[in-house]
């Protein structure tokens, strides 16, 4: 007999969520160690640690260095894992068989339910550079559970950006440049992105007596970068258009703030603050809610 497959991170997260919702761990109490939980849940410490970190990211738990992990709230949505799913399906199939329903009928009913309930749209995410495109696509896929197809905005002559797509996701700051290149603009779902906290922290602590340059490859991008920096930095800010302005002026800078779309050689003695963008967790549910009511436009997707 083959050994049972150990629970996944989703399974462990589901079991911990169930314990929290049932009051096994009270608000303010300290969670058992990952090693102890791994023994209880027949998992391994690394899997438990990942599940705990997920719950911490959702604001359910709070980890204090050298003290442990504490419960912040027990009012959490139920998480469904594969172990829990298998258990409920087994119970349901057993009841169906006892009721005289054949295995063929059970399989047909399951296929019909899956076909009607599971979302399988083609979701395309648009961005102007490879790095942001990859990270944003992975993030949207992780928080929505949907398959996300990354697509560069590219040159204006490439045709409709929503070709073979049911839904198009694009950051708000690219909305104007892509809205005129879509066949179905009503299928566009804008997403708000923000600079990572570590980036904001560095901008706020730059020496205000220094000289800071905000770098981007387009005039609009330079304006956007300058606006971002000015929210946290009180000193002088100069805009720099990559590919057009003379790079030698950057040698006098104390710091250069640059986004991932800009490609240029920067002086070795200048601090570079690379801006990384983040997408909030709640966008996943927003995207799912909008996709739920949209009939597929390009046929069945698997």
């Amino acid at each position: 007999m083959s050994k049972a497959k150990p629970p996944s991170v989703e399974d462990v997260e589901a079991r911990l969520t169930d314990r929290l919702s049932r009051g096994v761990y009270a608000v303010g109490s300290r969670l058992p160690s990952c090693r102890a939980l791994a023994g209880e849940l027949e998992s391994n410490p690394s899997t438990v640690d990942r599940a705990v970190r997920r719950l911490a990211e959702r604001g359910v738990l709070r980890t204090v260095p050298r003290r442990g992990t504490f419960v912040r709230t027990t009012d959490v949505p139920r998480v469904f894992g594969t172990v829990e799913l298998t258990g409920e399906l087994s119970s349901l199939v057993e009841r169906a068989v006892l009721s005289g329903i054949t295995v063929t009928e059970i399989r047909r009913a399951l296929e019909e339910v899956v076909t009607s309930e599971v979302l399988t749209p083609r979701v395309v995410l648009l961005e102007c550079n490879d790095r942001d495109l990859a990270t944003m696509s992975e993030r949207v896929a992780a928080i929505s559970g949907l398959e996300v197809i990354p697509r560069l905005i590219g040159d204006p002559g490439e045709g409709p950006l929503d070709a073979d797509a049911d839904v198009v996701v694009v950051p708000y700051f690219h909305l104007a440049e892509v809205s005129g290149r879509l066949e179905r603009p009503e299928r566009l779902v804008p997403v708000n992105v923000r600079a990572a906290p570590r980036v904001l922290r560095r901008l706020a602590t730059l020496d205000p007596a220094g000289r800071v340059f905000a770098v981007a490859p387009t005039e609009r991008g330079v304006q956007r970068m300058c606006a971002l920096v000015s929210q946290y930095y009180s000193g002088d800010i100069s805009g720099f258009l990559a590919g057009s302005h003379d790079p030698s002026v950057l040698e006098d800078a104390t710091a250069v703030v640059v986004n991932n779309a800009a490609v240029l050689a920067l002086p070795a003695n200048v601090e570079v603050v690379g801006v990384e963008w983040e997408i909030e967790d709640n966008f996943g549910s927003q995207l799912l809610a909008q996709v739920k009511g949209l009939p597929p436009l390009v046929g069945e997707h698997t």
Side-chain angles (χ1 to χ4, degrees), residues 235-259:
D236 291 332
I237 306 167
S238 300
F240 183 91
L241 187 61
S244 297
H245 292 169
D246 183 0
S248 65
V249 303
L250 299 178
E251 295 176 1
D252 297 327
T254 53
V256 172
V257 184
V258 59
N259 64 19

Side-chain angles (χ1 to χ4, degrees), residues 95-107:
R95 286 164 50 199
V97 171
L98 291 174
S99 300
I101 302 175
T102 67
V103 173
T104 299
E105 290 173 324
I106 293 172
R107 286 175 175 166

Side-chain angles (χ1 to χ4, degrees), residues 146-161:
L146 298 171
E147 181 181 358
V148 178
I149 303 168
R151 184 171 296 171
L152 284 169
I153 293 173
D155 298 324
E158 290 185 351
L161 291 170

Side-chain angles (χ1 to χ4, degrees), residues 22-227:
R22 290 189 288 109
V24 175
Y25 309 122
V27 174
S29 65
R30 186 170 65 181
L31 219 61
S33 69
C34 288
R35 186 172 297 277
L37 286 171
E40 295 175 17
L41 302 174
E42 299 181 341
S43 182
N44 61 70
S46 63
T47 299
V48 173
D49 179 65
R50 290 169 61 193
V52 167
R53 281 190 278 117
R54 285 190 181 187
L55 289 168
E57 290 173 358
R58 292 167 56 193
V60 177
L61 303 175
R62 176 174 61 93
T63 298
V64 181
R66 294 184 296 278
R67 289 187 58 196
T69 300
F70 297 83
V71 179
R72 297 184 63 180
T73 179
T74 56
D75 183 19
V76 291
R78 187 182 184 191
V79 176
F80 216 64
T82 54
V83 170
E84 188 177 19
L85 173 63
T86 301
E88 295 204 10
L89 283 176
S90 297
S91 176
L92 187 60
V93 169
E94 182 180 1
R95 286 164 50 199
V97 171
L98 291 174
S99 300
I101 302 175
T102 67
V103 173
T104 299
E105 290 173 324
I106 293 172
R107 286 175 175 166
R108 184 183 301 119
L110 179 60
E111 289 175 359
E112 290 177 355
V113 170
V114 170
T115 300
S116 64
E117 293 296 330
V118 175
L119 298 173
T120 56
R122 288 179 65 90
V123 178
V124 169
L125 187 140
L126 301 175
E127 241 299 332
C128 68
N129 67 87
D130 289 317
R131 182 165 175 174
D132 286 338
L133 181 64
T135 56
M136 288 186 191
S137 297
E138 291 173 1
R139 177 63 176 155
V140 171
I143 61 179
S144 69
L146 298 171
E147 181 181 358
V148 178
I149 303 168
R151 184 171 296 171
L152 284 169
I153 293 173
D155 298 324
E158 290 185 351
L161 291 170
D162 56 345
D164 299 328
D166 293 310
V167 178
V168 173
V169 176
V170 65
Y172 271 104
F173 50 64
H174 286 311
L175 200 56
E177 62 190 282
V178 306
S179 58
R181 298 180 55 198
L182 303 176
E183 290 184 326
R184 298 175 294 273
E186 72 278 3
R187 297 285 175 133
L188 185 65
V189 181
V191 57
N192 185 44
V193 299
R194 62 183 182 182
R198 66 170 183 78
V199 175
L200 303 183
R201 181 182 181 89
R202 185 63 193 115
L203 294 180
T205 54
L206 288 172
D207 183 2
R211 188 180 183 190
V212 173
F213 283 82
V215 180
T218 65
E219 291 284 2
R220 196 155 176 264
V222 170
Q223 294 173 6
R224 187 165 60 244
M225 292 290 288
C226 287

